[in-house]
């Protein structure tokens, strides 16, 4: 999957579906210049094959363990992508009634494979999930547990629950997306969990069926996952000795990728991750749930953009694109790195530039002092690894419409979200 002819210095050797063919960038066989002409820019482009490949990697490595991959909808909640993942047998990790509705529309049969996480579930969301008979509620507080019991009784339902325990494990990642320490708002301290399960057993409408954990996102080391599941395993054994029938262990999401040019072999990394988890849970006899988001979709997608202008301010050279922080906020919000490639590789000399959007904030940048082949007005470029937390975090800031999205299937593009119009954007407003 490495590019056949890729321009220096941004040579990408990692397994992304974006490769050069005769100097033109393609996505799984679709020509990006043609996509830009046909669908306009900014445009999110995803490869269905690349998503399938990542799902297969996980399924293969966990094939000896009863498991369900519950894709974290928040990473990319496009209906067509959810449908694709549902067809591959995935379940879904949701965090809102809105995400539940997306699963219902994309693949109603997959509602039975939904786990519902989140620290602030509202009554209407709980009711909708109870009525949909989802697989598991990941309960994050005692107050939520009491409310869930009340709602389950009112609706004559039984809610299978897991307490989301906070294992107090440190995971090296950006502070905004680390969640597994006692000081974070997530979950119930693991030391208190046994007591809360005792309460859960007494509550009508509640079936304490599992234990769940999620320690953060973009975690590249395997050890924090193993360490937190070790603590979860001990808890499961204690709970079982208390007489509870714990059948599910939800290991959460968070398995990271490489955004830069460092070598990244996803299959090898998954093998390492899965081996560690299998070892920790060996012989436990529980159904394993995993909630990957980024790992499945990030590298399958890119944001295609056109250069509007270039300019020189003092010593700084700026490349101004038609995509902005409202389309892809990760660089502005987390100082995240996304590789940027020209769509036509014609051997131009490289240039150092700030690559920025048109939004009226200095924080609206995609890259600072980045060396890329010179980008001129009218050129197309892509921001790689934008398939996760790209479109799902897009906003209307500066009254800019959401980009369109295209899914490449067997070399053919399919529009999965048309470009918004200003009428769409303004439709809910009242004068
Ligand atoms: N499960 C739960 C309970 C989560 O909170 C998350 C992500 C996931 C699963 C999926 O994590 P993943 O496998 O995608 O790492 N916007 C940030 C990432 C926020 C992650 C929030 N929770 C970013 O762009 O890096």
């Amino acid at each position: 999957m490495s590019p056949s002819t890729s321009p220096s210095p941004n040579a990408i050797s990692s397994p992304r579906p974006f490769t050069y063919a005769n100097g033109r960038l393609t996505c799984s066989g679709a020509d990006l210049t043609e996509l830009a002409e046909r669908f306009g820019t900014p445009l999110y482009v995803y490869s269905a094959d690349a998503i399938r490949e990542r799902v297969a990697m996980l399924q293969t490595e966990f094939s000896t363990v009863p498991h369900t991959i519950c894709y974290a909808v928040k990473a990319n909640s496009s209906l067509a992508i959810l449908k694709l993942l549902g067809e591959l047998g995935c379940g879904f990790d949701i965090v809102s009634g809105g995400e539940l509705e997306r699963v219902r529309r994309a693949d109603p049969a997959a509602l039975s494979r939904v786990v519902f996480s989140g620290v602030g579930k509202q009554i209407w969301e709980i009711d909708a999930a109870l009525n949909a008979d989802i697989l598991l509620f990941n309960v994050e507080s005692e107050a939520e547990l009491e409310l869930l019991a009340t709602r389950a009784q009112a609706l004559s339902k039984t809610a299978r629950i897991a307490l989301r325990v906070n294992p107090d494990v440190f995971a090296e990642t950006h502070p905004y997306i680390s969640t597994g320490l006692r000081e974070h708002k997530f979950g119930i301290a693991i030391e208190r969990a046994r007591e809360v399960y005792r309460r859960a057993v007494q509550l009508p409408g509640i079936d304490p069926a599992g234990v769940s954990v999620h320690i953060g996102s973009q975690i590249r080391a395997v050890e924090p996952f193993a360490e937190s599941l070790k603590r979860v395993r001990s808890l499961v054994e204690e709970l079982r000795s208390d007489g509870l029938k714990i059948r599910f262990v939800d290991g959460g999401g968070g398995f990271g990728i490489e955004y830069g040019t460092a070598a990244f072999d996803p299959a090898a990394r998954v093998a390492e991750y899965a081996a560690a988890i299998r070892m920790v849970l060996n012989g436990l006899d529980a159904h394993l749930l995993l909630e990957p988001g980024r790992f499945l979709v990030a590298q399958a997608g890119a944001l295609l953009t056109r250069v509007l202008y270039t300019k020189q301010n003092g010593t700084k050279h700026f490349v101004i694109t038609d995509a902005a922080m409202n389309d892809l906020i990760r660089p502005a919000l987390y100082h995240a790195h996304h590789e940027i490639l020209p769509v036509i590789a014609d051997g131009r000399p490289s240039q150092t530039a700030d690559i920025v959007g048109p939004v009226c904030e200095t924080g609206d940048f995609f890259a600072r002092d980045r060396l890329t082949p010179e980008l001129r007005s009218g050129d197309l470029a892509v921001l790689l690894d934008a398939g996760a937390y790209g479109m799902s975090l897009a906003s209307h800031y500066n009254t800019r419409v959401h980009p369109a999205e295209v899914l490449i299937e067997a070399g053919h593009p399919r529009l999965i979200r048309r470009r918004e119009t200003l009428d769409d954007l303004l439709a809910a407003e009242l004068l």
Side-chain angles (χ1 to χ4, degrees):
M1 277 219 181
S2 56
S4 44
T5 51
S6 97
S8 184
N10 274 332
I12 303 299
S13 57
S14 63
R16 298 166 170 120
F18 295 87
T19 59
Y20 287 95
N22 303 318
R24 296 167 71 92
L25 197 60
T26 63
C27 173
S28 291
D31 185 90
L32 290 178
T33 307
E34 286 172 19
L35 294 183
E37 278 157 16
R38 184 164 158 201
F39 300 105
T41 54
L43 180 71
Y44 274 102
V45 182
Y46 311 108
S47 158
D49 284 347
I51 296 173
R52 281 198 192 94
E53 196 176 272
R54 292 291 169 102
V55 171
M57 283 175 198
L58 279 168
Q59 283 172 342
T60 304
E61 288 300 328
F62 286 103
S63 62
T64 56
V65 181
H67 73 277
T68 305
I69 295 166
C70 295
Y71 166 72
V73 172
K74 64 170 82 71
N76 185 319
S77 47
S78 155
L79 292 177
I81 288 177
L82 300 185
K83 183 158 184 277
L84 169 68
L85 288 161
E87 282 164 5
L88 297 174
C90 290
F92 296 96
D93 166 50
I94 61 161
V95 290
S96 70
E99 289 188 350
L100 181 72
E101 187 55 25
R102 285 186 175 276
V103 174
R104 187 195 310 284
R105 293 189 189 192
D107 185 355
L111 286 170
S112 62
R113 302 193 297 272
V114 162
V115 301
F116 189 1
S117 307
V119 289
K121 301 181 188 78
Q122 300 180 37
I123 290 180
W124 74 270
E125 297 176 311
I126 290 174
D127 285 2
L130 284 167
N131 284 325
D133 288 318
I134 64 162
L135 180 63
L136 195 66
F137 287 81
N138 284 333
V139 171
E140 301 225 14
S141 66
E142 290 161 78
E144 182 193 331
L145 181 64
E146 301 287 336
L147 176 62
L148 181 56
T150 309
R151 295 315 305 160
Q153 263 185 298
L155 299 173
S156 306
K157 297 279 184 187
T158 299
R160 276 175 297 273
I161 66 120
L163 293 187
R164 173 169 174 186
V165 296
N166 187 322
D168 200 26
V169 165
F170 177 69
E172 180 77 55
T173 186
H174 189 283
Y176 285 9
I177 55 176
S178 170
T179 57
L181 283 181
R182 203 169 286 133
E183 70 211 49
H184 297 142
K185 69 180 176 185
F186 298 99
I188 293 172
I190 196 159
E191 307 80 42
R192 290 222 48 238
R194 204 170 173 184
E195 192 184 322
V196 182
Y197 274 102
R198 278 196 201 112
R199 172 73 185 141
V201 173
Q202 292 163 358
L203 287 170
I206 297 289
D207 169 11
V211 177
S212 94
V213 72
H214 171 78
I215 53 173
S217 192
Q218 181 55 2
I219 299 166
R220 279 159 300 167
V222 164
E223 294 74 20
F225 295 108
E227 186 51 43
S228 66
L229 283 171
K230 212 181 278 175
R231 296 179 191 188
V232 165
R233 181 187 179 124
S234 303
L235 176 62
V236 170
E237 286 166 345
E238 282 173 11
L239 295 173
R240 284 181 176 166
S241 75
D242 291 345
L244 276 75
K245 295 195 172 52
I246 302 293
R247 290 98 70 200
F248 297 101
V249 167
D250 183 342
F255 192 52
I257 60 157
E258 268 326 314
Y259 280 91
T261 51
F264 179 63
D265 178 347
R269 296 292 284 276
V270 168
E272 201 190 328
Y273 165 76
I277 293 180
R278 287 195 317 257
M279 190 156 85
V280 173
L281 299 180
N282 186 28
L284 187 64
D285 188 25
H287 188 103
L288 176 66
L289 303 169
L290 294 170
E291 303 170 359
R294 185 190 321 264
F295 180 76
L296 296 184
V297 295
Q299 297 193 293
L303 178 58
L304 178 58
T305 181
R306 200 178 281 282
V307 176
L308 296 172
Y309 305 101
T310 61
K311 72 177 187 181
Q312 192 78 24
N313 274 358
T315 57
K316 294 282 279 188
H317 186 71
F318 289 93
V319 172
I320 301 159
T321 61
D322 64 2
M325 67 186 285
N326 70 295
D327 305 305
L328 177 66
I329 202 175
R330 302 192 72 263
L333 192 55
Y334 314 110
H335 281 223
H337 177 95
H338 286 263
E339 282 294 314
I340 298 174
L341 294 181
V343 166
I344 302 292
D346 55 8
R348 287 186 204 169
S350 292
Q351 185 173 44
T352 298
D354 278 19
I355 299 170
V356 302
V359 161
C360 306
E361 291 212 20
T362 305
D364 180 23
F365 62 87
F366 290 129
R368 286 182 158 157
D369 295 323
R370 181 73 64 86
L371 190 66
T372 66
E374 186 194 346
L375 289 167
R376 300 180 195 144
S377 171
D379 285 348
L380 291 166
V382 294
L383 291 124
L384 291 178
D385 305 333
Y389 306 109
M391 187 62 174
S392 62
L393 275 161
S395 79
H396 288 131
Y397 190 38
N398 278 207
T399 305
R400 289 166 51 88
V401 295
H402 283 331
E405 295 175 286
V406 159
L407 182 66
I408 312 300
E409 288 258 26
H412 298 292
R414 180 158 66 88
L415 188 66
I416 58 169
R417 181 186 176 114
R418 65 168 170 79
R419 189 171 304 283
E420 240 178 353
T421 64
L422 283 173
D423 282 338
D424 294 330
L425 189 154
L426 295 170
E429 295 194 31
L430 308 169
L431 266 180

